[in-house]
């Protein structure tokens, strides 16, 4: 069983923000799978269970994402090698998609929280959102909605591409194969 976690913030006002790209991917994946919803308060997450996967959207807000991940990981006894975390990345240009195992959190509070609970050795799907001109604007930038053009590109190209890569990962392709086949620059 894979634990596929999309990072984001709960609530209508965050729905289409750059920080919610992980939630957007999970929502699209859940649409295309036959899933049941798991409601357990101690998980602190929206969980969609398919035959082979748990699709997770933490309800803890970004900075406490690890609380949800560790609770689900421990309950289902999922190894880190079967955990895939989808998140926004300021250091990549908009639309870039990259994959890696482990590494630092790069200032991303959701990753920092997960790392503190389960360690760093899990699969990361990094989706580029670009960065603001001034570092002081980072918080506003990540919490700002995508433009209409960006949303169209996300829905038509980036999210479907990301889902194909995740499916390939789950089918046993190595992270190196995924990097060579599915990296978008």
């Amino acid at each position: 069983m894979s634990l596929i976690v999309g990072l984001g913030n709960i609530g209508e006002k965050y729905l289409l923000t750059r920080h919610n790209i992980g939630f957007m991917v999970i929502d699209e994946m859940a649409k295309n799978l036959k899933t049941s919803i798991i409601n357990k308060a101690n998980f602190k997450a929206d969980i969609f269970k398919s035959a082979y996967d748990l699709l997770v959207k933490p309800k803890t807000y970004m900075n406490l994402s690890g609380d949800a991940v560790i609770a689900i990981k421990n309950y289902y006894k999922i190894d880190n090698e079967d955990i895939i975390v989808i998140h926004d990345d300021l250091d990549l240009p908009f639309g870039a998609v990259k994959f890696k195992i482990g590494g630092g959190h790069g200032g991303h509070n959701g990753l920092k929280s997960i790392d503190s609970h389960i360690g760093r050795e899990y699969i990361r799907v990094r989706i580029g959102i670009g960065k603001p001109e001034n570092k002081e604007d980072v918080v506003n930038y990540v919490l700002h909605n995508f433009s209409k053009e960006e949303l169209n590109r996300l829905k038509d190209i980036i999210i479907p591409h990301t889902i194909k890569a995740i499916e390939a990962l789950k089918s046993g392709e190595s992270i190196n194969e995924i990097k060579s086949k599915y990296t978008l620059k």
Side-chain angles (χ1 to χ4, degrees):
M1 175 175 286
S2 294
L3 173 57
I4 304 170
V5 181
L7 296 186
N9 286 309
I10 58 172
E12 280 294 314
K13 75 178 190 174
Y14 298 113
L15 192 63
L16 299 176
T17 64
R18 289 176 173 84
H19 228 14
N20 272 33
I21 188 67
F23 277 15
M24 292 176 191
V25 174
I26 294 296
D27 287 340
E28 195 61 32
M29 289 180 80
K31 270 196 240 178
N32 297 322
L33 294 172
K34 184 176 175 127
T35 61
S36 58
I37 297 172
I38 298 174
N39 289 316
K40 284 192 178 229
N42 61 326
F43 285 160
K44 302 176 188 172
D46 288 333
I47 303 173
F48 307 92
K49 186 178 188 300
S50 72
Y52 305 104
D53 304 309
L54 296 171
L55 307 176
V56 175
K57 293 171 34 178
K59 291 165 68 171
T60 56
Y61 290 100
M62 188 65 75
N63 297 355
L64 300 174
S65 298
D67 294 351
V69 173
I70 190 70
I72 298 163
K73 170 189 166 40
N74 288 345
Y75 184 84
Y76 286 98
K77 297 174 178 48
I78 297 172
D79 295 326
N80 279 17
E81 66 191 29
D82 295 319
I83 297 175
I84 300 169
V85 176
I86 308 155
H87 65 91
D88 59 297
D89 195 316
L90 280 167
D91 292 327
L92 297 177
F94 174 79
V97 181
K98 292 193 173 189
F99 310 87
K100 72 177 185 176
I101 296 175
H105 55 74
H108 193 291
N109 289 327
L111 295 177
K112 188 185 296 185
S113 176
I114 293 170
D115 291 354
S116 73
H117 284 80
I118 69 167
R120 296 179 177 180
E121 297 302 309
Y122 53 89
I123 299 167
R124 301 167 193 220
V125 179
R126 305 165 52 209
I127 301 176
I129 60 168
K131 64 172 70 175
E133 290 181 28
N134 299 316
K135 280 190 172 190
E136 298 81 34
D137 294 335
V138 167
V139 172
N140 288 331
Y141 183 78
V142 299
L143 297 178
H144 190 273
N145 285 350
F146 285 108
S147 70
K148 185 174 181 166
E149 294 79 23
E150 289 171 329
L151 281 172
N152 287 337
R153 187 159 176 227
L154 284 169
K155 290 176 183 175
D156 295 341
I157 299 169
I158 299 162
I159 291 174
H161 179 85
T162 301
I163 293 170
K164 283 181 193 171
I166 292 168
E167 292 300 323
L169 271 168
K170 292 185 331 172
S171 72
E173 289 192 43
S174 74
I175 192 74
N176 288 331
E177 291 172 310
I178 297 302
K179 285 179 182 179
S180 68
K181 287 182 181 177
Y182 293 98
T183 295
L184 284 180
K185 296 182 180 185

